[in-house]
């Protein structure tokens, strides 16, 4: 072992190598020196554990790899072949060309974010998307915050802090990522009054719970689960009627917040923002990156006076949206205004992708794979919308099923490749769903598959 350790070159010796020196310009000398130290230290450990000292060429190779991968960004591109359109772990909604251009414009230079150009004086960042939100939803006012969890927290804290908020036991949901309605309510400083049962809550249950301390009736969309069988929840319109009799507010947390009718795409009808406003909810909140198909944001629409008081609340400052978010939400909303969302917003393109198109794409992938000598078959399957919307609802699709000795190993290779590819394993086969793969990603996907299958 001592003999092997003596063969290990010094840091200086490695740094004298021309190839290593060539890295200096690109990576910076300090980082290269760090890489050399790290590789030599790891190799020293290996030798101590009984391995022989590798030749210099191998050590140099390791340094090159370390220096080029050590500080590469951890947030990497992923091709989503899972068939789950709004995959929260994979970043929810991909953005349209126009939305990305708007983000770029806002990011690149200065903007009139909080500046009234015609007056030459201070303006409000919240003015930008408001008119558009009102026009599209029929609301009197609109406000953007960081995400919908923040929107719910803000609405409750601003409107009902120290007061009672009545909510059905069937709507005390957890949507994942640590968001639980009862906990958010507690954080906002309201007192939670639960009514009804898990499966059934009637309007009379709300009525009986209303007292002097009651301020607000809360309605929450189930998001990611479905109650079947003997189940009933009071309708939003019933809550609105009851609230009017008692001078209370009604807040609807819609979660996914569709502006288009999912029923026209062969899915169940997902409650729409316009409907909640039309039914008389005082405030409605939803996410920017679920069925709206934009960047992460929390969107609050509703009564103008209430929105104005939210805007003045200190929490709004803490939940403030970035300029790029404002630009991106506005650009995304414009697709709805121009009635081109199904053609331009990626998640709606995916939802509306016909079975025939999924078949064509699956067949072309499968024939490429067959040419490559891999057993690939096109089989019928199901895609889902995901993102806390339409639980249990599916879209028929055509999948590519790969017959490989170890689907787990292939899945691992694809996940760790560049770009990473995530699919799913079903019945011992590795499955790719064309629905969630952007057309512009097809060549990359093919290259990634070939690389992983070769490896
Ligand atoms: C998704 C969801 C939220 C949280 O929204 P984020 O934008 O992820 O913070 C809150 N409420 C409901 C009903 C949801 O579906």
């Amino acid at each position: 072992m001592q003999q092997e350790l003596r063969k290990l070159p010094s840091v200086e010796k490695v740094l004298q190598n021309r190839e290593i020196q060539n890295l200096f310009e690109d990576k910076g000398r300090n980082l290269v020196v760090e890489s050399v130290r790290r590789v030599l230290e790891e190799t020293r450990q290996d030798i101590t554990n009984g391995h022989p000292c590798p030749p210099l060429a191998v050590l140099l190779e390791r340094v090159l790899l370390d220096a080029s991968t050590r500080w590469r960004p951890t947030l990497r591109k992923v091709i989503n072949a899972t068939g789950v359109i709004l995959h929260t772990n994979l970043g929810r909604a991909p953005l349209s060309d126009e939305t990305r251009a708007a983000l770029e414009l806002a990011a690149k230079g200065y903007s009139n974010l909080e500046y009234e150009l015609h007056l030459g004086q201070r303006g409000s960042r919240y003015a930008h998307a408001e008119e558009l939100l009102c026009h599209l939803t029929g609301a009197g006012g609109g406000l953007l915050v960081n995400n919908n969890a923040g929107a719910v927290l803000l609405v409750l804290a601003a409107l009902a802090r120290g007061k009672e908020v009545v909510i059905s036991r069937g709507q005390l949901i957890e949507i994942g990522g640590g968001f639980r309605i009862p906990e958010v309510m507690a954080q906002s400083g309201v007192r939670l009054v639960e009514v009804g049962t898990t499966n059934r809550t009637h309007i009379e249950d709300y009525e009986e719970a209303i007292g002097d301390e009651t301020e607000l009736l809360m309605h929450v969309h189930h998001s990611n689960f479905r109650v079947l069988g003997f189940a009933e929840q009071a309708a939003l319109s019933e809550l609105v009627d009851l609230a009017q009799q008692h001078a209370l507010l009604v807040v609807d947390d819609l979660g996914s917040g569709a502006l288009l009718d999912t029923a026209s795409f062969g899915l169940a009808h997902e409650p729409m923002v316009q409907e909640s406003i039309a039914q008389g909810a005082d405030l409605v909140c939803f996410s920017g990156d679920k069925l709206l198909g934009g960047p992460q944001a929390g969107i609050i629409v509703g009564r103008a006076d209430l929105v104005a008081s939210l805007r003045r609340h200190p929490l709004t400052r803490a939940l403030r949206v970035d300029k790029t978010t404002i630009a991106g939400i506005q650009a995304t909303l414009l697709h709805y205004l121009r009635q081109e969302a199904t053609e331009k917003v990626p998640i709606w393109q995916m939802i509306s992708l016909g079975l025939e198109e999924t078949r064509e794409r699956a067949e072309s992938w499968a024939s490429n794979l067959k040419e490559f000598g891999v057993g690939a078959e096109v089989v019928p399957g199901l895609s889902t919308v995901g993102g806390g919307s339409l639980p249990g609802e599916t879209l028929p699709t055509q999948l590519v099923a790969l017959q490989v000795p170890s689907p787990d190993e292939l899945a691992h290779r694809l996940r760790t490749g560049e770009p990473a590819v995530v699919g799913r394993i079903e019945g011992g086969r590795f499955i790719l769903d064309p629905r969630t793969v952007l057309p512009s990603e097809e060549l990359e996907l093919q290259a990634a598959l070939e690389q992983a299958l070769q490896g």
Side-chain angles (χ1 to χ4, degrees):
M1 183 183 87
Q2 287 304 327
Q3 213 174 345
E4 288 298 306
L5 276 177
R6 252 173 267 131
K7 290 188 198 159
L8 198 62
S10 66
V11 174
E12 286 68 33
K13 173 90 190 298
V14 178
L15 288 173
Q16 276 160 19
N17 179 277
R18 176 74 59 81
E19 261 188 282
I20 298 296
Q21 288 180 356
N22 286 345
L23 283 174
F24 289 176
E25 190 180 342
D26 193 28
K27 307 283 172 198
R29 192 176 191 281
N30 287 351
L31 291 185
V32 177
V33 173
E34 264 182 36
S35 284
V36 172
R37 290 223 167 92
R38 196 161 31 238
V39 167
L40 290 181
E41 184 47 42
E42 280 164 13
T43 313
R44 188 187 311 280
Q45 286 298 330
D46 287 348
I47 297 173
T48 323
N49 292 333
H51 296 275
C53 180
L56 184 64
V58 170
L59 290 174
L60 295 179
E61 199 60 39
R62 288 184 191 166
V63 173
L64 288 174
L65 185 70
D66 185 277
S68 55
T69 57
R70 175 76 181 145
W71 296 110
R72 82 180 155 174
T74 56
L75 193 62
R76 311 243 299 277
K77 177 187 167 68
V78 172
I79 294 179
N80 174 12
T82 62
V84 181
I85 296 172
L86 290 166
H87 200 304
T88 297
N89 300 151
L90 302 183
R92 289 193 186 156
L95 305 177
S96 74
D97 293 347
E98 289 78 359
T99 302
R100 283 182 288 114
L103 294 178
E104 159 84 17
L105 193 73
K108 192 165 180 177
Y110 298 97
S111 62
N112 62 335
L113 179 65
E114 293 185 353
Y115 191 69
E116 294 273 8
L117 288 171
H118 56 284
L119 298 173
Q121 67 189 33
R122 198 198 158 110
S124 163
R125 73 174 61 213
Y126 299 109
H128 296 285
E130 184 165 30
E131 205 179 339
L132 202 45
L133 279 172
C134 293
H135 185 84
L136 289 168
T137 64
L143 179 64
L144 298 184
V145 291
N146 188 51
N147 59 11
N148 191 34
V152 175
L153 180 73
L154 169 66
V155 164
L156 291 172
L159 304 184
R161 188 172 200 89
K163 296 286 187 53
E164 285 177 2
V165 172
V166 185
I167 182 168
S168 160
R169 290 198 168 90
Q171 295 174 7
L172 292 174
I173 60 160
E174 169 176 327
I175 58 139
F179 182 92
R180 293 174 146 191
I181 287 288
E183 288 166 14
V184 174
M185 291 176 82
Q187 282 301 318
S188 67
V190 308
R191 269 176 287 143
L192 170 71
V193 178
E194 310 173 16
V195 297
T197 61
T198 308
N199 54 329
R200 283 166 76 84
T201 305
H202 309 284
I203 194 65
E204 294 78 22
D205 296 321
Y206 289 86
E207 190 159 20
E208 279 164 27
I210 294 173
D212 294 343
E213 293 291 298
T214 311
E215 183 69 29
L216 192 153
L217 307 182
M218 180 86 185
H219 188 261
V220 180
H221 182 37
H222 274 156
S223 289
N224 49 11
F225 73 102
R226 204 155 74 174
V227 185
L228 297 177
F230 191 55
E232 193 180 316
Q233 292 290 324
L236 179 66
S237 56
E238 291 180 280
L239 295 193
V240 169
D241 288 343
L242 181 64
Q244 271 163 6
Q245 290 162 30
H246 297 267
L248 303 174
L249 298 171
V250 174
V251 169
D252 191 15
D253 174 15
L254 270 185
S256 58
L259 291 179
L260 296 183
D261 185 0
T262 48
S264 7
F265 303 91
L267 295 160
H269 176 73
E270 177 79 358
M272 294 163 73
V273 184
Q274 307 89 306
E275 292 169 348
S276 291
I277 293 293
Q279 283 166 24
D282 294 292
L283 289 177
V284 180
C285 36
F286 57 102
S287 296
D289 52 353
K290 290 184 179 172
L291 285 175
L292 187 72
Q296 178 188 307
I299 304 178
I300 304 166
V301 291
R303 260 171 54 188
D305 59 325
L306 297 177
V307 170
S309 73
L310 293 181
R311 207 174 285 140
R312 290 189 298 269
H313 195 275
L315 254 184
T316 301
R317 178 63 179 79
L319 298 167
R320 183 161 99 168
V321 269
D322 174 55
K323 58 191 173 192
T324 55
T325 305
I326 294 171
I329 290 289
Q330 207 165 28
T332 306
L333 290 172
L334 281 172
H335 290 308
Y336 292 89
L337 186 77
R338 298 191 207 108
Q339 303 195 326
E340 59 183 25
T342 42
E343 293 87 49
K344 296 281 184 89
V345 178
I347 65 137
W348 286 106
Q349 289 175 309
M350 291 173 183
I351 290 173
S352 58
L353 193 71
L355 191 59
E356 235 359 86
E357 291 163 84
T358 62
R359 190 195 318 278
E360 271 167 33
R361 293 177 71 192
E363 275 169 2
S364 105
W365 298 4
S367 81
N368 285 336
L369 286 164
K370 278 185 213 145
E371 262 173 49
F372 202 69
V374 179
E377 200 190 340
V378 176
V379 295
L382 300 169
S383 323
T384 55
V385 178
S389 62
L390 299 159
E393 287 290 308
T394 53
L395 291 159
T397 188
Q398 295 285 321
L399 308 165
V400 178
L402 275 75
Q403 199 76 55
V404 288
S406 168
D408 286 320
E409 193 187 320
L410 176 61
H412 180 264
R413 281 212 192 122
L414 284 167
R415 286 198 310 271
T416 52
E418 188 70 58
V421 176
V422 181
R424 50 185 219 248
I425 295 172
E426 259 172 38
R429 293 194 289 187
F430 185 77
I431 304 276
L432 301 162
D433 188 336
R435 186 179 299 278
T436 48
V437 176
L438 301 168
S440 60
E441 293 173 334
E442 293 208 354
L443 287 177
E444 275 179 296
L445 173 64
Q446 198 184 318
L449 282 167
E450 288 178 7
Q451 175 127 34
L453 288 161
Q454 237 161 17

